[in-house]
C-alpha cells in the first residue's frame, strides 16, 4: 500500500513538472508529451476503438446488429482451419467445410512466394542503384517508385493491359509461339488455374518490389565500403564480397523488407478483387460482407488476421534487433 502511494505521488509530481516545467529536462518532457498527443489520438480512434468494435462484432449473435455473445464464428473458423489439414483434418472435424483453411493457406503460401521474389529483386535493384553510376539514375528511381503511388485496382488494370487476351505481351508471345492470345493470356483465366495465379503473382510483384527496394536502399547507406574494398583487394570476387561482406551488413534491412512486403502481400485487396485469380483472405472479407452478409465471421477472420500480422511483426522486429546487437 505504501509503495502504491509512493508511486502515485511520483506520477503526480511528474505530471506537475510536465505541466509547469522548471528545468530543461522538464521542458523536454513537456515537448515529448505534446508531440505524442496526435499519435495517441490516432492510436485511440484509428486503432484501439475499431479493434474493440471488430472483436465485439465477431462475438455478436446477429449478423446485422451488435447484440448478445457467442463464439460460434471462431468455432466455425478454427474448425475449418483444422479440416483443411491433410490426413487428420477430416478425422478431427468430420464434415466441416475447409473453405477458411484453404483461404488462409492460399494467403500464406502466395504471400511468402511473392515476398521472397520481391525482396530478392529489391536487393538486386538497390545494390545496382547504390553501388554503380547508372545512366539516367533519376529516371530509373522515378520509374521504380511509381507503383507505390498507385492503388491495387490500377495495378490489376496494368496486368490486364499487359497479359490479358488483348494484352501487349500476351499477343507478342502468341505471335512468336504461333498460337492464340487466349492460350497464353494470364488474366481472364479461371480462378485457381496456374495461368490466373501467375498473372496475380506479377500484379503483386508490381506493388511489392518498389517497397522492398526503397527500404533496402536506406540499409545500403550504412554499409561499410572500406570492408568491401578490403575484401576485393584480398582477391574476393564480386559475388564473394556480396555474400560474405555486404549481405551480413544489410541483413537487418532484408528482414525489414520481408516484414513490410509480406504484410503488404496479405493486405492487398484491389488487385485480387479485379483479377479474381485466387481466393485469399482479403477477397474472402469482401465475400463475407458483400455476398454472405456475415459480419461476425468477417470480423472473426479479421481479428485472427490482425493477431497473426501483429505477432509476425513483433517476431520479425525481435529478430532484427538480435541481428543488430550481434553486429
Amino acid at each position: 500500500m505504501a509503495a502504491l502511494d509512493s508511486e502515485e505521488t511520483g506520477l503526480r509530481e511528474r505530471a506537475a513538472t510536465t505541466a509547469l516545467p522548471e528545468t530543461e529536462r522538464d521542458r523536454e518532457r513537456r515537448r515529448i508529451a505534446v508531440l505524442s498527443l496526435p499519435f495517441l489520438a490516432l492510436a485511440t480512434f484509428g486503432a484501439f476503438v475499431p479493434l474493440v468494435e471488430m472483436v465485439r462484432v465477431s462475438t455478436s449473435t446477429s449478423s446485422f446488429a451488435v447484440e448478445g455473445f457467442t463464439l460460434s464464428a471462431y468455432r466455425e473458423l478454427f474448425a475449418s482451419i483444422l479440416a483443411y489439414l491433410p490426413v487428420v483434418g477430416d478425422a478431427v472435424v468430420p464434415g466441416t467445410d475447409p473453405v477458411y483453411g484453404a483461404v488462409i493457406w492460399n494467403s500464406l503460401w502466395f504471400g511468402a512466394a511473392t515476398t521472397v521474389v520481391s525482396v530478392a529483386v529489391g536487393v538486386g535493384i538497390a545494390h545496382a542503384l547504390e553501388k554503380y553510376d547508372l545512366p539516367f539514375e533519376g529516371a530509373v528511381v522515378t520509374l521504380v517508385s511509381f507503383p507505390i503511388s498507385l492503388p491495387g485496382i490500377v495495378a490489376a488494370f496494368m496486368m490486364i493491359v499487359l497479359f490479358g487476351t488483348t494484352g501487349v505481351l500476351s499477343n507478342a508471345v502468341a505471335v512468336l509461339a504461333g498460337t492464340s492470345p487466349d492460350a497464353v493470356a494470364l488474366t481472364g483465366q479461371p480462378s485457381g488455374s496456374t495461368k490466373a495465379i501467375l498473372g496475380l503473382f506479377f500484379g503483386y510483384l508490381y506493388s511489392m518490389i518498389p517497397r522492398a527496394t526503397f527500404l533496402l536502399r536506406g540499409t545500403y547507406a550504412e554499409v561499410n565500403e572500406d570492408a568491401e574494398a578490403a575484401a576485393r583487394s584480398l582477391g574476393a570476387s564480386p559475388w564473394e564480397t556480396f555474400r560474405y561482406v555486404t549481405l551480413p551488413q544489410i541483413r537487418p534491412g532484408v528482414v525489414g523488407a520481408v516484414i513490410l512486403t509480406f504484410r503488404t502481400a496479405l493486405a492487398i485487396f484491389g488487385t485480387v478483387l479485379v483479377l479474381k485469380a485466387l481466393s485469399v483472405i482479403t477477397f474472402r472479407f469482401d465475400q463475407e460482407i458483400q455476398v454472405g452478409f456475415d459480419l461476425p465471421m468477417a470480423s472473426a477472420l479479421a481479428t485472427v488476421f490482425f493477431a497473426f500480422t501483429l505477432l509476425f511483426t513483433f517476431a520479425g522486429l525481435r529478430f532484427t534487433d538480435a541481428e543488430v546487437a550481434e553486429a
Side-chain angles (χ1 to χ4, degrees):
M1 189 64 182
L4 290 175
D5 291 340
S6 176
E7 184 177 349
E8 185 178 352
T9 303
L11 289 173
R12 287 177 179 173
E13 291 177 350
R14 283 197 291 273
T17 55
T18 300
L20 300 171
E22 298 177 354
T23 66
E24 182 58 31
R25 174 58 183 159
D26 293 339
R27 282 189 282 273
E28 180 182 351
R29 188 177 296 161
R30 186 176 65 174
R31 286 194 291 269
I32 293 174
V34 172
L35 291 173
S36 298
L37 289 177
F39 299 102
L40 182 61
L42 182 63
T44 301
F45 297 103
F48 298 140
V49 172
L51 283 173
V52 170
E53 185 65 12
M54 182 177 69
V55 174
R56 181 67 187 93
V57 172
S58 70
T59 59
S60 173
T61 55
S62 172
S63 295
F64 306 100
V66 182
E67 59 185 23
F69 178 82
T70 178
L71 295 177
S72 60
Y74 289 98
R75 283 196 292 270
E76 181 181 351
L77 177 58
F78 287 110
S80 179
I81 294 173
L82 288 175
Y84 189 73
L85 296 177
V87 183
V88 299
D90 194 55
V92 176
V93 282
T96 301
D97 187 351
V99 60
Y100 298 110
V103 165
I104 291 174
W105 169 243
N106 288 340
S107 301
L108 292 177
W109 79 258
F110 193 73
T114 51
T115 294
V116 170
V117 175
S118 297
V119 174
V121 175
V123 168
I125 296 175
H127 189 89
L129 289 173
E130 295 300 319
K131 296 298 180 184
Y132 304 105
D133 293 326
L134 299 178
F136 309 108
E137 183 172 327
V140 172
V141 171
T142 301
L143 289 174
V144 171
S145 66
F146 185 62
I148 294 178
S149 60
L150 297 178
I153 291 177
V154 177
F157 173 73
M158 297 187 74
M159 291 303 106
I160 294 173
V161 169
L162 293 174
F163 300 112
T165 53
T166 59
V168 176
L169 294 181
S170 54
N171 276 270
V173 173
V175 170
L176 294 175
T179 185
S180 67
D182 290 338
V184 296
L186 300 181
T187 65
Q189 301 289 352
S191 177
S193 65
T194 302
K195 291 178 182 176
I197 293 174
L198 190 59
L200 184 65
F201 183 79
F202 288 134
Y204 268 49
L205 295 186
Y206 184 78
S207 300
M208 293 162 58
I209 287 176
R211 291 172 169 80
T213 299
F214 283 95
L215 193 150
L216 287 162
R217 281 195 75 189
T219 303
Y220 263 93
E222 305 296 328
V223 170
N224 185 344
E225 296 185 351
D226 292 338
E228 293 178 322
R232 295 298 302 273
S233 65
L234 293 174
S237 66
W239 166 248
E240 290 173 331
T241 302
F242 174 79
R243 169 69 180 81
Y244 296 106
V245 180
T246 308
L247 184 59
Q249 296 186 69
I250 67 170
R251 190 172 297 164
V254 172
V255 175
V258 168
I259 295 172
L260 176 65
T261 51
F262 187 64
R263 289 174 51 175
T264 301
L266 293 179
I268 286 178
F269 173 66
T271 307
V272 180
L273 182 66
V274 174
L275 297 181
K276 294 181 173 62
L278 186 67
S279 182
V280 293
I281 196 164
T282 50
F283 187 59
R284 190 68 196 184
F285 289 148
D286 182 68
Q287 290 182 309
E288 294 292 343
I289 296 173
Q290 302 294 338
V291 181
F293 303 105
D294 193 348
L295 287 180
M297 177 53 72
S299 299
L301 199 58
T303 301
V304 173
F305 172 80
F306 173 79
F308 172 80
T309 305
L310 191 65
L311 291 175
F312 172 77
T313 302
F314 276 124
L317 292 177
R318 285 183 63 83
F319 180 77
T320 305
D321 291 341
E323 288 285 309
V324 172
E326 290 177 3

